[in-house]
Amino acid sequence: MATSLLKITTSVLHRPHNQVAFVSRESSAMSFVPFSQNRNRRSRSFPIVSMAATPVQTFLEKSVPSSENIGHPLMVNACTGKMGKAVIEAAQAAGLHVVPVSFGLEEESGKTFQIGGNEFLVHGPSDRESVLASVLDKYPDLIVVDYTAPTAVNGNAELYCKLGVPFVMGTTGGDRELLRKTVEESKVYAVISPQMGKQVVAFLAAMEIMAEQFPGAFSGYSLQVLESHQAGKADVSGTAKAVVSCFDKLGASFNMDEVQLIRDPKQQLEMVGVPEEYLSGHAFHMYHLTSPDETVSFEFQHNVCGRSIYAEGTVDAALFLAKKIESKDQKRIYNMIDVLREGNMR
């Protein structure tokens, strides 16, 4: 097994109060020397102990970032997913160093994948803590991007907070109140947003302003919500939930169970009008308001093809978070509206 040489400082171990323990260079044996004999040993060089490296550490030692990608270290979990791949490409284009290690499915554990021109080592759920600890040991200023699964949101967030790793949570679903509480109690820096597309976030911000300044403006109106996503998206869009929340404040009450989810490719082509080449990656949303007497109607719609808008926004969020950490900002939890307000997006 590969080994790595690690310097360790002189340690005060279990010993009588007037002795100092030293580890021999030639062996792992410890010797105790009276403290009085060591007071003038300030120039003593620290001993070196050979310790076995973890598989992750060994893999990272082999992975040298290109001269173009030596920026802030970023770990993208679920790197084999479509969003993970898109974020990796966007991050590399922005000059960030994407750490070639990622969380993945149990069946992917221990396997390597070629993504963005680099080899990534994937580990399953059972190895998450040890893997993240190894990556953090090499990259103390690491930021994690999470695009895993709704069922993994809270567990992953708890792990990031336990190890003190700042993160960008792009995954929707999970218990969002618990997610926020976990981050608040840990005081870890995080950007949490159900929507990473910057322009869509600007629309959401406008909706929130309207709801705040004109509550009840659509009282009595009925609301219909239709959203179409690729077949693999199981949950209701976080964006749809946010917009519906605004309409609720505006007086148009709505039950989230009534959202019309379109996941069938045939319906997406014929009914929604999704281009065939984007059936595997799109987000079409329609919100239709009708007055009580059905004489007035309003329609809000935003359609996104592909994933680049979300990937670019995610990279902006990571860069934003790095600046907040560096400045030791008192605020710890942010959303994409905070990122937009910063005004430093590429």
Side-chain angles (χ1 to χ4, degrees):
M1 182 179 288
T3 60
S4 62
L5 297 181
L6 304 174
K7 285 191 175 183
I8 63 170
T9 58
T10 304
S11 301
V12 180
L13 304 175
H14 297 293
R15 66 193 190 287
H17 73 278
N18 64 339
Q19 294 182 337
V20 176
F22 289 95
V23 183
S24 168
R25 245 181 227 279
E26 288 75 25
S27 71
S28 60
M30 291 184 292
S31 60
F32 293 97
V33 183
F35 182 74
S36 60
Q37 296 179 20
N38 289 280
R39 289 183 178 177
N40 297 320
R41 294 194 182 190
R42 294 179 183 174
S43 62
R44 176 187 176 94
S45 61
F46 295 133
I48 298 177
V49 177
S50 177
M51 297 178 65
T54 67
V56 173
Q57 290 169 333
T58 302
F59 184 82
L60 290 174
E61 288 300 326
K62 296 178 182 177
S63 306
V64 181
S66 69
S67 58
E68 296 179 353
N69 300 108
I70 56 175
H72 203 95
L74 202 67
M75 179 179 179
V76 180
N77 284 330
C79 69
T80 60
K82 292 176 181 177
M83 267 309 307
K85 290 178 181 177
V87 171
I88 288 171
E89 292 177 3
Q92 290 175 336
L96 297 178
H97 171 47
V98 182
V99 177
V101 173
S102 177
F103 295 169
L105 301 174
E106 196 62 57
E107 55 265 32
E108 297 174 327
S109 186
K111 298 179 181 179
T112 58
F113 298 84
Q114 286 291 328
I115 303 169
N118 294 308
E119 188 176 50
F120 282 72
L121 177 63
V122 176
H123 287 267
S126 59
D127 299 329
R128 294 178 312 148
E129 185 167 349
S130 60
V131 168
L132 184 56
S134 294
V135 175
L136 187 61
D137 184 61
K138 183 171 178 62
Y139 301 103
D141 55 348
L142 179 74
I143 289 177
V144 170
V145 167
D146 190 297
Y147 273 106
T148 52
T151 54
V153 166
N154 294 104
N156 284 350
E158 288 172 6
L159 176 60
Y160 304 149
C161 291
K162 178 181 178 180
L163 297 185
V165 184
F167 64 94
V168 176
M169 180 60 73
T171 313
T172 59
D175 187 329
R176 306 308 277 193
E177 289 185 10
L178 177 60
L179 170 61
R180 187 174 185 87
K181 181 181 178 183
T182 300
V183 180
E184 285 176 344
E185 292 178 349
S186 71
K187 299 189 183 305
V188 163
Y189 286 92
V191 173
I192 301 172
S193 178
Q195 171 61 252
M196 290 291 174
K198 294 173 285 189
Q199 293 74 21
V200 178
V201 170
F203 165 69
L204 285 175
M207 287 294 301
E208 289 185 3
I209 292 171
M210 183 167 64
E212 180 182 342
Q213 296 189 5
F214 309 109
F218 288 94
S219 292
Y221 275 64
S222 61
L223 175 64
Q224 290 178 294
V225 181
L226 179 150
E227 60 107 314
S228 173
H229 286 262
Q230 58 279 0
K233 183 170 177 59
D235 59 332
V236 176
S237 162
T239 303
K241 292 178 181 178
V243 173
V244 167
S245 175
C246 290
F247 279 126
D248 185 61
K249 295 174 185 176
L250 286 163
S253 60
F254 184 80
N255 188 330
M256 287 302 303
D257 293 334
E258 296 177 1
V259 174
Q260 188 175 359
L261 300 179
I262 307 298
R263 297 293 184 267
D264 179 65
K266 184 177 180 181
Q267 286 186 317
Q268 291 172 342
L269 282 170
E270 299 176 356
M271 186 174 80
V272 184
V274 178
E276 186 172 3
E277 63 269 30
Y278 290 110
L279 287 175
S280 62
H282 69 278
F284 280 34
H285 291 229
M286 186 275 287
Y287 312 91
H288 189 88
L289 291 155
T290 306
S291 65
D293 62 1
E294 299 185 351
T295 61
V296 181
S297 65
F298 292 84
E299 189 167 286
F300 299 80
Q301 186 171 341
H302 54 90
N303 299 339
V304 175
C305 292
R307 296 177 175 82
S308 61
I309 184 175
Y310 310 120
E312 292 292 338
T314 301
V315 171
D316 282 331
L319 293 171
F320 165 89
L321 201 57
K323 291 179 181 177
K324 293 301 179 183
I325 296 168
E326 185 178 5
S327 67
K328 296 181 172 61
D329 194 359
Q330 291 300 307
K331 185 175 179 178
R332 298 302 174 97
I333 305 178
Y334 308 91
N335 56 34
M336 282 301 289
I337 292 177
D338 294 315
V339 178
L340 279 169
R341 285 174 176 156
E342 192 79 359
N344 293 326
M345 294 183 296
R346 297 163 295 114

